[in-house]
Amino acid sequence: MSSQRVRRALCPGSFDPVTNGHLDIISRVAALYDEVVVAVFINQSKQSLFSVDERKEMLEEGTADYPNVRIETFQGLVVDYCRAHDIPVIVKGLRAVSDFDYELQMAQMNRGLAGVDTLFMPTNPEYSFLASSLVKEIAKWGGDVSSLVPPHVLQRLKERTGPS
């Protein structure tokens, strides 16, 4: 009897809020791996629009159609989370060369610290400009972000930022 190794990957981020770009990357990773953990960073030095629990709930709703995806929260080093949960790969979506410059340094550090590899997935061109910070700014000023986030996130944005 042979035992096949379960292929696991981690998609870390702040997801404040989750966007259609995030969900596109997560869906593509879910098609490639047996188990995908989407890990929401707890970063107390950063002012977030949504609490960690709210971000986790929005991700759970947005990934409900993917039985191999689970949403977790964590604080600390990504590589420590990977080691503790036997996850050998971090998958990061890249929008532009500027993302690559930063993410390459992180990938090399993670490999050096814990032997955890990072795979880069180019974003769908439809979402290449999309960032949570832009979504929050546009929503704050009453702009239309309905094409940038799923409906359940749009509703929460409207509740948090006021009517558009």
Side-chain angles (χ1 to χ4, degrees), residues 59-74:
L59 278 160
E60 286 170 343
E61 190 169 342
T63 60
D65 291 339
Y66 306 105
N68 61 330
V69 173
R70 76 175 191 268
I71 313 302
E72 302 286 337
T73 61
F74 81 97

Side-chain angles (χ1 to χ4, degrees), residues 54-120:
E54 289 172 316
R55 289 181 272 153
K56 183 179 180 196
E57 288 169 8
M58 287 186 280
L59 278 160
E60 286 170 343
E61 190 169 342
T63 60
D65 291 339
Y66 306 105
N68 61 330
V69 173
R70 76 175 191 268
I71 313 302
E72 302 286 337
T73 61
F74 81 97
Q75 187 170 3
L77 297 176
V78 174
V79 292
D80 289 343
Y81 185 93
C82 287
R83 274 194 294 229
H85 295 88
D86 192 29
I87 300 173
V89 173
I90 298 167
V91 179
K92 299 291 291 194
L94 296 180
R95 295 169 293 197
V97 173
S98 56
D99 286 349
F100 180 76
D101 289 341
Y102 173 76
E103 295 296 348
L104 179 62
Q105 284 183 311
M106 293 299 295
Q108 291 170 332
M109 183 61 73
N110 291 338
R111 179 77 181 148
L113 285 172
V116 174
D117 284 314
T118 302
L119 300 180
F120 299 123

Side-chain angles (χ1 to χ4, degrees), residues 1-161:
M1 189 181 284
S2 68
S3 69
Q4 190 173 1
R5 184 168 184 208
V6 175
R7 296 172 308 136
R8 291 184 181 96
L10 180 77
C11 293
S14 58
F15 305 103
D16 185 37
V18 62
T19 68
N20 290 336
H22 292 131
L23 293 176
D24 177 63
I25 293 290
I26 293 166
S27 71
R28 291 163 56 202
V29 174
L32 297 171
Y33 287 89
D34 300 318
E35 291 180 9
V36 178
V37 177
V38 178
V40 181
F41 278 115
I42 299 170
N43 186 348
Q44 291 159 339
S45 66
K46 191 175 177 183
Q47 182 68 25
S48 298
L49 181 62
F50 294 100
S51 72
V52 171
D53 289 338
E54 289 172 316
R55 289 181 272 153
K56 183 179 180 196
E57 288 169 8
M58 287 186 280
L59 278 160
E60 286 170 343
E61 190 169 342
T63 60
D65 291 339
Y66 306 105
N68 61 330
V69 173
R70 76 175 191 268
I71 313 302
E72 302 286 337
T73 61
F74 81 97
Q75 187 170 3
L77 297 176
V78 174
V79 292
D80 289 343
Y81 185 93
C82 287
R83 274 194 294 229
H85 295 88
D86 192 29
I87 300 173
V89 173
I90 298 167
V91 179
K92 299 291 291 194
L94 296 180
R95 295 169 293 197
V97 173
S98 56
D99 286 349
F100 180 76
D101 289 341
Y102 173 76
E103 295 296 348
L104 179 62
Q105 284 183 311
M106 293 299 295
Q108 291 170 332
M109 183 61 73
N110 291 338
R111 179 77 181 148
L113 285 172
V116 174
D117 284 314
T118 302
L119 300 180
F120 299 123
M121 183 172 282
T123 191
N124 181 328
E126 183 180 353
Y127 305 121
S128 63
F129 64 91
L130 188 51
S132 292
S133 58
L134 289 175
V135 168
K136 288 186 288 193
E137 187 71 14
I138 294 165
K140 179 177 112 178
W141 293 104
D144 180 11
V145 295
S146 61
S147 65
L148 309 178
V149 297
H152 68 280
V153 174
L154 180 63
Q155 183 60 41
R156 287 191 188 221
L157 274 168
K158 285 180 178 180
E159 291 167 2
R160 187 63 44 98
T161 61

